[in-house]
Amino acid sequence: MDVALKTPVRSGPRTLKRTLKAYVSLTKPRVVELLLVVTAPTMLLAERGIPSLWLILATLVGGSLSAGSAGAFNCYLDRDIDRLMKRTKNRPLVTGELSDREALIFAWALGAASILWLGLLTNWLAAALSFGAILLYVVFYTIILKRRTPQNIVWGGVAGCMPVLIGWAAVTGELSWPPVILFMIIFLWTPPHYWPLSMKYRADYQAAGVPMLAVVRGRAQVGLQVILYAWATVACSLLLIPIADMGLLYSFTALVTGGWFIYETHRLYSLAIRHEHVSPMRVFHGSIAYLTLLFVAVGVDPLLPF
């Protein structure tokens, strides 16, 4: 691990544009985007209509700050293994665009801002849930689980489920069964979303000593686990129909996209057990499309008369 401890050297002059880009990169913007995709529809469902646009904006900004803080802390804590993985070799703490101290200050600042922002502009339950999400991702996943168990992404994925609770709490000031079901949908969806990615980058995780399931198990075993979690995800999505009184649009979307998601996971497993070429990223990208379409239906369905 001596290589991981070397001080990175930045190439070229440090400009404002490069610095801002590096700070944005620390927040893992693609993850932030996905979290916003599930937060806004949850707020529409909680309101059974369209909440105050200011409330939506305030919640999305607060959620972005929270997710960005967690991402920045993760980049700081994982900077040693990021230097050993091709997938993460261009992160700003690896390239030297930012110093460790700058990243840590940025992470703390975003976290504090998210809690104060949500507490003052929405309510303190949403702020408390935001704080819990940061702790779960930084401490529970990054520090405790990630380097110790192949089940890291299963339980560590709890942090990624928190935005639906935050969105619901921002609208209603409380929690109930519908957001719990939405929470469980994302919880069950996370393994079949992330494990295919770990299949593609198996060598990276192995080199870094991270025991992702694809590292400690064969492709067939990973494929089987992906199938089981996909089925569980779709089953859970159907529970929302009676619990949240969902209409035809959501019901149709959950069934059709869920069937397609399950088909893709079975296809991955079938190719794996036959030792043929597999395309795990097809399931990875497909899982994002599935969750996006499902939550679009969550948000639009309450606005329709049927």
Side-chain angles (χ1 to χ4, degrees):
M1 297 291 286
D2 290 340
V3 174
L5 298 177
K6 290 181 180 178
T7 302
V9 178
R10 180 175 62 247
S11 61
R14 179 169 180 170
T15 64
L16 178 61
K17 182 178 179 180
R18 285 180 60 171
T19 301
L20 290 176
K21 184 178 179 181
Y23 276 116
V24 171
S25 177
L26 275 184
T27 67
K28 299 187 177 181
R30 289 186 178 179
V31 175
V32 173
E33 289 173 9
L34 189 60
L35 297 180
L36 297 183
V37 164
V38 302
T39 303
T42 299
M43 297 180 72
L44 269 65
L45 178 61
E47 182 70 23
R48 285 286 168 180
I50 301 178
S52 159
L53 294 181
W54 166 248
L55 180 62
I56 295 176
L57 178 61
T59 306
L60 295 182
V61 170
S64 298
L65 293 172
S66 175
S69 171
F73 274 118
N74 176 265
C75 286
Y76 172 79
L77 292 167
D78 278 352
R79 64 196 185 281
D80 57 337
I81 60 176
D82 282 348
R83 290 165 190 157
L84 302 175
M85 299 172 63
K86 294 179 181 178
R87 186 173 70 89
T88 55
K89 66 181 181 180
N90 292 320
R91 286 182 175 173
L93 295 184
V94 177
T95 62
E97 287 294 331
L98 297 173
S99 69
D100 294 350
R101 182 173 180 273
E102 288 172 326
L104 195 57
I105 292 174
F106 181 65
W108 278 107
L110 284 187
S114 72
I115 296 166
L116 289 174
W117 177 278
L118 288 170
L120 295 173
L121 299 181
T122 62
N123 57 62
W124 289 104
L125 175 58
L129 291 169
S130 173
F131 177 64
I134 296 172
L135 284 182
L136 283 168
Y137 190 72
V138 175
V139 179
F140 189 54
Y141 171 64
T142 304
I143 296 178
I144 298 177
L145 294 177
K146 185 172 182 177
R147 308 190 194 200
R148 289 181 171 87
T149 171
Q151 294 298 307
N152 48 21
I153 200 62
V154 178
W155 299 106
V158 170
C161 309
M162 297 297 285
V164 295
L165 301 186
I166 295 170
W168 191 278
V171 173
T172 66
E174 60 183 13
L175 297 176
S176 56
W177 280 111
V180 171
I181 298 299
L182 294 173
F183 178 99
M184 289 303 302
I185 290 172
I186 302 174
F187 175 77
L188 294 168
W189 166 87
T190 301
H193 162 67
Y194 199 86
W195 278 336
L197 181 71
S198 72
M199 290 176 69
K200 178 176 176 60
Y201 294 102
R202 179 180 182 275
D204 264 6
Y205 287 114
Q206 190 170 32
V210 179
M212 288 295 177
L213 188 66
V215 174
V216 300
R217 297 286 187 271
R219 294 191 309 173
Q221 181 62 30
V222 176
L224 179 59
Q225 291 295 316
V226 167
I227 285 176
L228 295 175
Y229 273 99
W231 274 98
T233 302
V234 175
C236 189
S237 73
L238 298 178
L239 287 177
L240 192 66
I241 298 173
I243 290 177
D245 194 26
M246 304 302 288
L248 291 177
L249 175 66
Y250 176 83
S251 302
F252 176 79
T253 303
L255 285 169
V256 173
T257 60
W260 168 66
F261 184 35
I262 289 173
Y263 166 78
E264 287 295 336
T265 61
H266 276 271
R267 181 178 179 276
L268 177 67
Y269 177 66
S270 177
L271 292 172
I273 61 175
R274 296 203 305 266
H275 301 287
E276 296 182 15
H277 174 71
V278 298
S279 300
M281 296 303 286
R282 174 169 169 165
V283 176
F284 173 78
H285 292 299
S287 67
I288 296 174
Y290 162 73
L291 194 72
T292 300
L293 291 172
L294 187 71
F295 271 83
V296 167
V298 167
V300 174
D301 191 273
L303 307 179
L304 301 177
F306 52 83

